[in-house]
Amino acid sequence: MTGRNPLSFYMSGNHPPPICSKTYSTELSEYTKNGWISNMAISFQREIFMSVNYHAFQNRGYLFSGHEALSRQWRGAFTGYDPARISKILNLETDENYLYLSYFGRPYRLCFRNGCIEKKTEDGWTEELYFNETMSIYHLLHYTKDQPLIANVWVPNTALEGAGAHNRNLPDPLLSPFAARFSGKGDLLEEACQKLGGIKLNKGDVAYQFTSFPQIPLQLIFWDADEDFPAQVQILVDKQVTDFIHFETTGCIISDLLEMLEAQI
């Protein structure tokens, strides 16, 4: 599978779309978590704007198998997959049936027979994965370049090439609720970051570095609320992260990180 243009990738009919099509008229009320998100949805529709994190927010909590057409496309694209190229680039282990990889330190594998991504649990391997974790893995395998680079320059994912202009007057669907949840609770966030194995950084009020895939680290920086500003959180990625994944995939990875942290408290 080749090709880097996400639009041609979506329109070709021969490959699955990067995540899902951008339909600005989507009723965000279907994904309303609370009144704040409902008001934010109206703002999104009025501005004809989507955060690069929007689709990840939209698909939180949804099983990948629930997106039947998308699931069939991606599984079909990876049925009979030849892992020779990607295993060499990413230093991944394979056997005659599977390609093995880790995501936030958890074991996953791709089945060559049916193109399914599986996750190891206490009860064994399962195909019942959530949308964001599944797309993150498929995208890593599809989008990684032959000679990917790591720039060691940290940027927010809204600043990545192709992500488009970010309207800072609108709340981010992933980051804003997370920051509000931990407002005045920096000690709880610190504890959650430590439980998840983060590496402490000397930035902001709370800052840690995490590893999603070995090639894709993330930095979380949290500033607690004060008399002038509400709590804020920023997630930084490497400037060259799109050598490995689609820019929208960063939203999936960020969403999973934030949910894992929330699960620690």
Side-chain angles (χ1 to χ4, degrees), residues 44-69:
F44 272 126
Q45 290 173 330
R46 286 177 178 173
E47 296 289 336
I48 316 295
F49 166 79
M50 284 188 187
S51 164
V52 67
N53 294 329
Y54 167 74
H55 284 138
F57 158 74
Q58 182 189 36
N59 288 288
R60 262 188 167 186
Y62 283 81
L63 290 174
F64 184 67
S65 58
H67 297 266
E68 294 183 10

Short mmCIF file of all heavy atoms in Angstrom, two decimals, residues 44-69:
data_model
loop_
_atom_site.label_atom_id
_atom_site.label_comp_id
_atom_site.label_asym_id
_atom_site.label_seq_id
_atom_site.Cartn_x
_atom_site.Cartn_y
_atom_site.Cartn_z
N PHE A 44 -18.96 24.82 16.66
CA PHE A 44 -18.28 24.15 15.56
C PHE A 44 -19.09 24.32 14.28
O PHE A 44 -18.56 24.62 13.22
CB PHE A 44 -18.14 22.65 15.85
CG PHE A 44 -16.89 22.31 16.60
CD1 PHE A 44 -16.97 21.59 17.78
CD2 PHE A 44 -15.65 22.69 16.14
CE1 PHE A 44 -15.82 21.26 18.47
CE2 PHE A 44 -14.50 22.36 16.83
CZ PHE A 44 -14.60 21.65 18.00
N GLN A 45 -20.42 24.11 14.36
CA GLN A 45 -21.24 24.17 13.16
C GLN A 45 -21.31 25.59 12.62
O GLN A 45 -21.27 25.79 11.41
CB GLN A 45 -22.63 23.64 13.49
CG GLN A 45 -22.64 22.13 13.75
CD GLN A 45 -23.98 21.64 14.23
OE1 GLN A 45 -24.72 22.36 14.88
NE2 GLN A 45 -24.30 20.40 13.91
N ARG A 46 -21.35 26.56 13.49
CA ARG A 46 -21.42 27.95 13.03
C ARG A 46 -20.12 28.38 12.36
O ARG A 46 -20.14 29.16 11.40
CB ARG A 46 -21.73 28.86 14.22
CG ARG A 46 -23.19 28.76 14.69
CD ARG A 46 -23.42 29.64 15.90
NE ARG A 46 -24.82 29.59 16.32
CZ ARG A 46 -25.26 30.15 17.44
NH1 ARG A 46 -24.43 30.79 18.24
NH2 ARG A 46 -26.54 30.07 17.75
N GLU A 47 -19.00 27.88 12.89
CA GLU A 47 -17.70 28.29 12.35
C GLU A 47 -17.27 27.43 11.16
O GLU A 47 -16.28 27.73 10.50
CB GLU A 47 -16.62 28.17 13.46
CG GLU A 47 -16.85 29.11 14.63
CD GLU A 47 -16.59 30.56 14.27
OE1 GLU A 47 -15.83 30.81 13.32
OE2 GLU A 47 -17.17 31.44 14.92
N ILE A 48 -18.03 26.36 10.85
CA ILE A 48 -17.64 25.41 9.80
C ILE A 48 -16.19 24.99 10.04
O ILE A 48 -15.32 25.09 9.19
CB ILE A 48 -17.81 25.99 8.38
CG1 ILE A 48 -19.12 26.72 8.28
CG2 ILE A 48 -17.74 24.89 7.34
CD1 ILE A 48 -20.35 25.84 8.43
N PHE A 49 -15.95 24.50 11.24
CA PHE A 49 -14.58 24.25 11.67
C PHE A 49 -14.52 22.95 12.45
O PHE A 49 -15.43 22.61 13.18
CB PHE A 49 -14.13 25.40 12.56
CG PHE A 49 -12.88 25.11 13.34
CD1 PHE A 49 -11.64 25.19 12.74
CD2 PHE A 49 -12.96 24.74 14.67
CE1 PHE A 49 -10.49 24.91 13.46
CE2 PHE A 49 -11.82 24.46 15.40
CZ PHE A 49 -10.58 24.55 14.79
N MET A 50 -13.45 22.21 12.27
CA MET A 50 -13.21 21.03 13.08
C MET A 50 -11.79 21.07 13.62
O MET A 50 -10.85 21.31 12.88
CB MET A 50 -13.40 19.76 12.27
CG MET A 50 -14.83 19.39 12.01
SD MET A 50 -14.89 17.76 11.27
CE MET A 50 -16.63 17.67 10.87
N SER A 51 -11.66 20.80 14.89
CA SER A 51 -10.34 20.59 15.46
C SER A 51 -9.76 19.32 14.88
O SER A 51 -10.49 18.39 14.53
CB SER A 51 -10.45 20.48 16.98
OG SER A 51 -9.27 19.91 17.53
N VAL A 52 -8.43 19.26 14.79
CA VAL A 52 -7.78 18.04 14.36
C VAL A 52 -8.11 16.90 15.32
O VAL A 52 -8.00 15.72 14.98
CB VAL A 52 -6.25 18.26 14.25
CG1 VAL A 52 -5.63 18.50 15.61
CG2 VAL A 52 -5.58 17.10 13.56
N ASN A 53 -8.58 17.23 16.53
CA ASN A 53 -8.95 16.23 17.53
C ASN A 53 -10.43 15.85 17.47
O ASN A 53 -10.87 15.01 18.25
CB ASN A 53 -8.64 16.76 18.93
CG ASN A 53 -7.15 16.94 19.16
OD1 ASN A 53 -6.33 16.22 18.60
ND2 ASN A 53 -6.79 17.92 19.98
N TYR A 54 -11.18 16.46 16.55
CA TYR A 54 -12.63 16.27 16.54
C TYR A 54 -13.04 14.82 16.31
O TYR A 54 -13.87 14.26 17.02
CB TYR A 54 -13.28 17.17 15.49
CG TYR A 54 -14.71 16.80 15.22
CD1 TYR A 54 -15.71 17.11 16.14
CD2 TYR A 54 -15.07 16.07 14.09
CE1 TYR A 54 -17.02 16.74 15.92
CE2 TYR A 54 -16.37 15.69 13.87
CZ TYR A 54 -17.35 16.03 14.78
OH TYR A 54 -18.64 15.65 14.56
N HIS A 55 -12.48 14.16 15.28
CA HIS A 55 -12.92 12.81 14.96
C HIS A 55 -12.57 11.84 16.09
O HIS A 55 -13.32 10.88 16.34
CB HIS A 55 -12.30 12.34 13.65
CG HIS A 55 -12.95 12.93 12.44
ND1 HIS A 55 -12.23 13.38 11.36
CD2 HIS A 55 -14.24 13.17 12.15
CE1 HIS A 55 -13.07 13.85 10.45
NE2 HIS A 55 -14.28 13.74 10.91
N ALA A 56 -11.46 12.06 16.76
CA ALA A 56 -11.10 11.21 17.90
C ALA A 56 -12.11 11.38 19.01
O ALA A 56 -12.54 10.41 19.64
CB ALA A 56 -9.70 11.54 18.38
N PHE A 57 -12.51 12.62 19.28
CA PHE A 57 -13.55 12.87 20.28
C PHE A 57 -14.86 12.22 19.86
O PHE A 57 -15.54 11.57 20.66
CB PHE A 57 -13.75 14.38 20.46
CG PHE A 57 -15.09 14.74 21.02
CD1 PHE A 57 -15.38 14.51 22.35
CD2 PHE A 57 -16.08 15.29 20.20
CE1 PHE A 57 -16.63 14.82 22.87
CE2 PHE A 57 -17.32 15.61 20.71
CZ PHE A 57 -17.61 15.37 22.04
N GLN A 58 -15.20 12.36 18.60
CA GLN A 58 -16.46 11.84 18.06
C GLN A 58 -16.56 10.33 18.24
O GLN A 58 -17.65 9.79 18.47
CB GLN A 58 -16.55 12.19 16.58
CG GLN A 58 -17.82 11.76 15.87
CD GLN A 58 -17.71 11.96 14.37
OE1 GLN A 58 -16.64 11.77 13.80
NE2 GLN A 58 -18.80 12.36 13.74
N ASN A 59 -15.44 9.64 18.15
CA ASN A 59 -15.46 8.18 18.17
C ASN A 59 -15.03 7.58 19.51
O ASN A 59 -14.85 6.36 19.61
CB ASN A 59 -14.55 7.64 17.06
CG ASN A 59 -15.17 7.85 15.69
OD1 ASN A 59 -16.13 7.18 15.33
ND2 ASN A 59 -14.63 8.79 14.93
N ARG A 60 -14.91 8.40 20.53
CA ARG A 60 -14.57 7.89 21.85
C ARG A 60 -15.63 6.91 22.33
O ARG A 60 -16.82 7.17 22.25
CB ARG A 60 -14.48 9.04 22.85
CG ARG A 60 -13.09 9.52 23.11
CD ARG A 60 -13.06 10.53 24.24
NE ARG A 60 -11.71 10.76 24.70
CZ ARG A 60 -11.41 11.50 25.75
NH1 ARG A 60 -12.38 12.05 26.45
NH2 ARG A 60 -10.16 11.68 26.11
N GLY A 61 -15.16 5.78 22.85
CA GLY A 61 -16.09 4.82 23.42
C GLY A 61 -16.77 3.92 22.41
O GLY A 61 -17.57 3.07 22.80
N TYR A 62 -16.46 4.07 21.13
CA TYR A 62 -17.09 3.26 20.09
C TYR A 62 -16.15 2.12 19.69
O TYR A 62 -14.98 2.34 19.42
CB TYR A 62 -17.42 4.09 18.85
CG TYR A 62 -18.65 4.96 19.03
CD1 TYR A 62 -18.58 6.17 19.71
CD2 TYR A 62 -19.89 4.55 18.54
CE1 TYR A 62 -19.70 6.96 19.89
CE2 TYR A 62 -21.02 5.34 18.72
CZ TYR A 62 -20.92 6.54 19.39
OH TYR A 62 -22.03 7.31 19.58
N LEU A 63 -16.72 0.91 19.62
CA LEU A 63 -15.95 -0.22 19.14
C LEU A 63 -15.69 -0.06 17.65
O LEU A 63 -16.56 0.39 16.90
CB LEU A 63 -16.68 -1.53 19.40
CG LEU A 63 -16.78 -1.98 20.86
CD1 LEU A 63 -17.67 -3.21 20.96
CD2 LEU A 63 -15.40 -2.25 21.45
N PHE A 64 -14.50 -0.47 17.20
CA PHE A 64 -14.17 -0.37 15.79
C PHE A 64 -15.11 -1.22 14.95
O PHE A 64 -15.49 -0.83 13.84
CB PHE A 64 -12.72 -0.81 15.57
CG PHE A 64 -12.26 -0.67 14.15
CD1 PHE A 64 -12.10 0.59 13.58
CD2 PHE A 64 -11.97 -1.78 13.39
CE1 PHE A 64 -11.66 0.73 12.27
CE2 PHE A 64 -11.52 -1.65 12.08
CZ PHE A 64 -11.37 -0.39 11.52
N SER A 65 -15.51 -2.37 15.45
CA SER A 65 -16.41 -3.25 14.70
C SER A 65 -17.77 -2.62 14.46
O SER A 65 -18.50 -3.03 13.56
CB SER A 65 -16.57 -4.58 15.45
OG SER A 65 -17.08 -4.36 16.76
N GLY A 66 -18.11 -1.60 15.27
CA GLY A 66 -19.39 -0.91 15.08
C GLY A 66 -19.42 -0.06 13.82
O GLY A 66 -20.50 0.24 13.32
N HIS A 67 -18.25 0.32 13.31
CA HIS A 67 -18.15 1.03 12.03
C HIS A 67 -17.99 -0.04 10.94
O HIS A 67 -16.88 -0.31 10.48
CB HIS A 67 -16.96 1.98 12.03
CG HIS A 67 -17.05 3.08 13.04
ND1 HIS A 67 -17.57 4.33 12.74
CD2 HIS A 67 -16.71 3.13 14.35
CE1 HIS A 67 -17.52 5.10 13.81
NE2 HIS A 67 -17.00 4.39 14.80
N GLU A 68 -19.09 -0.66 10.56
CA GLU A 68 -19.02 -1.87 9.75
C GLU A 68 -18.29 -1.67 8.42
O GLU A 68 -17.42 -2.46 8.06
CB GLU A 68 -20.43 -2.42 9.52
CG GLU A 68 -21.10 -2.92 10.79
CD GLU A 68 -22.46 -3.52 10.52
OE1 GLU A 68 -22.79 -3.72 9.33
OE2 GLU A 68 -23.19 -3.78 11.49
N ALA A 69 -18.65 -0.63 7.68
CA ALA A 69 -18.03 -0.42 6.36
C ALA A 69 -16.55 -0.12 6.51
O ALA A 69 -15.71 -0.68 5.79
CB ALA A 69 -18.73 0.71 5.61
#
